[in-house]
Amino acid sequence: GYIPIARHLLFPQFLDDSNSKERELGLHFGNVMMSLCREVWVFGDTISPGMDAEIRRARWKNYRLRFFDNALREVEQ
């Protein structure tokens, strides 16, 4: 019942992350996609600045947040 979307893997397929305008477009597109979600799943033990921004946005939007460690076990956050 879920559709996983890894925006950080999708948009670099056709946008140049080293081009500041294209990076901003990718971030904007990612926010638009996120607005259609009800949950945000966070994977791994390291939170990058981009992931931190998405987590803060998800909390602000009151989305359900789920965290998984490197072994893909769900953990409380």
Side-chain angles (χ1 to χ4, degrees), residues 13-40:
Q13 298 294 316
F14 54 89
L15 294 173
D16 181 358
D17 199 45
S18 66
N19 177 309
S20 62
K21 288 184 180 183
E22 290 191 18
R23 177 171 172 72
E24 287 301 316
L25 272 175
L27 293 171
H28 172 73
F29 294 157
N31 285 335
V32 170
M33 288 180 77
M34 189 175 183
S35 71
L36 302 172
C37 297
R38 289 182 278 154
E39 293 186 3
V40 173

